[in-house]
């Protein structure tokens, strides 16, 4: 019963939320996308207070998007695609640094999108890593191949120190609450292609609109 514990951070359900983001037109639905991130934050909050600076930033970005989703233009934020169309058409996306305009949905989602690549690489590393792989190394490599490219030195330093506190692979799998190690590996193998698809569709959308470098 413990293995399927319902304390709010069953990773199988969190990853299934991401799977449910794609609608029939291959558009990405904002609500399950944000719900997926909230689930990841709940998971992160079980990893120790050293990650508080990470979860605070993630929560702040989720909240920005939730405000758009409950504001006067909420229908425009139903999917990532409709958000891009709406914000671009209404000149709401700041292309330069240090201007007074409010933060856009596009730049906010871009930060989560970059973090989704970290997640994909990290989970893939855990899945294929073998019983005695070092999670801190897997995590650092995934970070260096994704988010680190956009973070200033001080954040990279703090992040790398926090990664050293990560538990071993077995403890990670246990914390995922999806059953045995074999079941965890199988669950990741099933879930990761959906995460990758979400990432690829978003990457293509942002690339088409030249939004990949938003400050
Ligand atoms: C079994 C694996 C599941 C683990 C779930 C972990 C969920 C992690 C959620 C992380 C979300 C991070 C969003 C970061 C967005 C970002 O890049 N923000 C920076 C830029 O924002 P700005 O508005 O200024 O342009 C901001 O400067 C970030 C600050 C905080 C540091 C972010 C480090 C992210 C490291 C990746 C997550 C590590 C979690 C490791 C635990 C396994």
């Amino acid at each position: 019963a413990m293995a399927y514990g319902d304390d709010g951070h069953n990773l199988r359900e969190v990853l299934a939320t991401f799977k449910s983001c794609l609608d029939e037109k291959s558009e990405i639905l904002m609500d399950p996308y944000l719900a997926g991130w909230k689930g990841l934050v709940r998971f992160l909050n079980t990893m120790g207070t050293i990650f508080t600076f990470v979860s605070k930033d993630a929560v702040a970005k989720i909240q920005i998007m939730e405000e758009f989703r409950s504001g006067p233009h909420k229908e425009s934020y139903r999917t990532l695609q409709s958000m891009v169309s709406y914000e671009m058409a209404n000149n709401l996306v700041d292309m330069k640094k240090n201007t007074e305009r409010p933060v856009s949905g596009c730049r906010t989602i871009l930060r989560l999108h970059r973090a989704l690549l970290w997640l994909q690489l990290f989970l893939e590393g855990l899945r294929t890593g073998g019983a005695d792989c070092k999670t801190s190394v897997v995590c650092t490599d995934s970070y260096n191949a994704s988010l680190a490219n956009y973070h200033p030195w001080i954040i990279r330093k703090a992040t790398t120190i926090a990664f050293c506190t990560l538990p071993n692979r077995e403890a990670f799998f246990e914390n995922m609450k999806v059953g045995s190690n074999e079941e965890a590996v199988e669950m990741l193998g099933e879930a990761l292609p959906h995460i990758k698809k979400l990432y690829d569709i978003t990457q293509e959308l942002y690339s088409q609109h030249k939004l990949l470098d938003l400050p």
Side-chain angles (χ1 to χ4, degrees):
M2 271 299 282
Y4 294 94
D6 183 23
D7 64 350
H9 70 275
N10 175 333
L11 199 71
R12 186 194 303 273
E13 281 168 28
V14 174
L15 298 183
T17 311
F18 280 114
K19 181 176 170 180
S20 72
C21 286
L22 276 188
D23 74 3
E24 64 289 344
K25 291 186 295 182
S26 280
E27 296 205 359
I28 298 170
L29 298 165
M30 186 70 75
D31 293 343
Y33 191 83
L34 298 178
W37 280 107
K38 281 178 150 180
L40 290 175
V41 167
R42 279 199 301 278
F43 193 91
L44 185 60
N45 287 340
T46 69
M47 311 279 319
T49 51
I50 197 162
F51 287 105
T52 304
F53 76 108
V54 180
S55 65
K56 276 198 172 143
D57 186 71
V59 165
K61 287 177 168 53
I62 294 164
Q63 277 172 354
I64 289 170
M65 296 315 302
E66 286 183 334
E67 277 166 32
F68 285 128
R69 264 308 271 157
S70 58
H73 302 287
K74 53 174 173 280
E75 275 314 306
S76 305
Y77 290 88
R78 198 181 70 85
T79 68
L80 267 56
Q81 285 80 358
S82 64
M83 170 190 76
V84 168
S85 308
Y86 167 74
E87 290 195 341
M88 293 295 280
N90 291 281
N91 199 21
L92 296 169
V93 183
D94 241 326
M95 301 292 177
K96 293 192 206 72
K97 239 182 187 139
N98 301 324
T99 57
E100 294 294 307
R101 263 187 295 189
V103 294
S104 62
C106 285
R107 69 89 62 197
T108 304
I109 290 291
L110 178 60
R111 272 61 187 173
L112 295 177
H113 169 65
R114 290 168 178 165
L116 197 66
L117 179 58
W118 165 80
L119 181 77
Q120 186 192 312
L121 297 173
F122 177 59
L123 293 179
E124 182 62 16
L126 272 190
R127 184 181 81 86
T128 57
D132 52 4
C133 77
K134 282 196 79 70
T135 55
S136 59
V137 174
V138 174
C139 194
T140 305
D141 289 350
S142 309
Y143 176 72
N144 287 340
S146 59
L147 283 171
N149 296 307
Y150 308 97
H151 286 167
W153 181 87
I154 185 75
I155 297 280
R156 294 204 305 272
K157 197 77 200 162
T159 304
T160 311
I161 290 168
F163 289 162
C164 293
T165 70
L166 288 176
N168 65 27
R169 183 174 182 263
E170 190 158 346
F172 241 107
F173 281 166
E174 189 152 321
N175 193 25
M176 288 181 188
K177 305 194 188 304
V178 292
S180 66
N181 284 6
E182 292 71 28
E183 286 171 294
V185 166
E186 193 187 311
M187 182 280 283
L188 290 176
E190 200 277 325
L192 277 167
H194 301 289
I195 305 278
K196 182 172 173 0
K197 193 164 178 199
L198 268 193
Y199 179 83
D200 290 344
I201 292 174
T202 310
Q203 182 74 9
E204 180 60 28
L205 174 70
Y206 271 66
S207 146
Q208 271 172 11
H209 291 86
K210 302 196 167 36
L211 296 173
L212 285 168
D213 297 313
L214 286 182

